[in-house]
Amino acid sequence: MNQLDLKGKHGIVTGGARGIGFAIATRLLHSGASVCLWDRDAEALKDASQKLSTLGTVTTQTVDLTDPAAVSAAAAATKQQLGSIELLVNNAGIAGANAKLWEYTPEQWLAVVNTNLNAVFYVCRAVVPIMLEKHYGRIVNIASIAGKEGNPAASHYSAAKAGVIGLTKSLGKELAKEGILVNCITPAVIQTDILKQVSQFHIDYMLSKIPMGRFGKVDEAAAMVAWLCSDDCSFSTGSVFDLSGGRATY
Ligand code: NDP
């Protein structure tokens, strides 16, 4: 595996205890970055940080990303732990249950929008001022192909991920002259624990839409994110990068 050079960079990966976030943290560490894993499950975080400890400096913050005060405290604590923050990967997310839009309760809708969209706002709000101190940063948001196409039986998730795409485009423009690049990726379905939240019918639907006829891999997401975190990515901001085995058509 060819590694990008991220030596001397310090990064946050939200939802880093498992799945795509864990793969991203692994890849950033292999490239020389120090990483703080943010997640809400302290035990899972401890387990993940132990597994990664041989690769470099790994710290953790147990935080519920839907709590803006807790997010601000975690950002300050991470800066204290790592010294600075140059990289931010907004990866944490939930799928929520599958249903038609009119069948969701407001609570089900809000849970998905709070975690997948509002939390990205809370984290950027807390971390961007830290990046602005040095006029340097790379922010990568994990959106979804659902945000571009709108998956049936997942309107809350699709709407939240479309919101992440819009947030990325706005923030990218706001920071374009500050040395801070903001991009998002839009993966198609990847086999992780998140799929336990959805029906087999929904998984089959998502897979059937992929021309390559297979699931994406966590390492494929991590490779794209690592590049977006690197200095090799220098003229792309406010952009949407596909990772969909050919599903995305725009
Ligand atoms: P996982 O469920 O494997 O991992 C997500 C992690 O985020 C979990 O550790 C989860 O904790 C954590 N998390 C969720 N909510 C919060 C919260 N409020 N505060 C702190 N941590 C939280 O999912 P994936 O790795 O598959 O997904 C990562 C991202 O990729 C998500 O944004 C997802 O929407 C996106 N994505 C995933 C695709 C897929 O097919 N897998 C396709 C396209 C996009 P806990 O386990 O306690 O819930």
Side-chain angles (χ1 to χ4, degrees), residues 82 85 97 146 184 237:
L82 299 180
I85 302 169
C184 69
T237 196

Side-chain angles (χ1 to χ4, degrees), residues 73-232:
T78 303
K79 190 184 172 198
Q80 196 82 17
Q81 285 175 327
L82 299 180
S84 58
I85 302 169
E86 290 85 16
L87 316 176
L88 167 62
V89 184
N90 282 302
N91 162 80
I94 57 172
N98 296 124
K100 302 277 193 325
L101 180 146
W102 60 93
E103 294 165 351
Y104 285 129
T105 63
E107 291 74 23
Q108 285 177 305
W109 179 275
L110 285 174
V112 170
V113 174
N114 278 336
T115 304
N116 292 357
L117 175 59
N118 294 344
V120 179
F121 160 64
Y122 301 145
V123 178
C124 289
R125 175 178 172 269
V127 172
V128 167
I130 297 171
M131 292 180 167
L132 279 170
E133 289 169 11
K134 290 189 169 180
H135 298 280
Y136 183 89
R138 296 285 183 275
I139 299 174
V140 184
N141 299 323
I142 311 303
S144 168
I145 187 75
K148 297 176 88 175
E149 295 208 350
N151 280 340
S155 54
H156 49 7
Y157 185 84
S158 303
K161 292 298 188 181
V164 171
I165 292 171
L167 180 156
T168 301
K169 291 181 176 182
S170 293
L171 187 60
K173 291 180 181 73
E174 290 168 5
L175 294 171
K177 293 188 175 168
E178 299 289 351
I180 302 169
L181 308 186
V182 189
N183 292 293
C184 69
I185 70 168
T186 51
V189 62
I190 295 173
Q191 276 176 310
T192 68
D193 287 347
I194 207 171
L195 297 187
K196 292 176 187 163
Q197 300 168 37
V198 301
S199 69
Q200 188 59 47
F201 180 84
H202 191 66
I203 295 168
D204 293 344
Y205 168 82
M206 294 189 291
L207 189 55
S208 75
K209 303 285 280 182
I210 299 175
M212 283 190 189
R214 67 166 174 87
F215 292 101
K217 298 175 186 163
V218 294
D219 289 344
E220 291 172 327
M224 183 175 269
V225 171
W227 181 78
L228 289 166
C229 283
S230 75
D231 288 336
D232 287 1

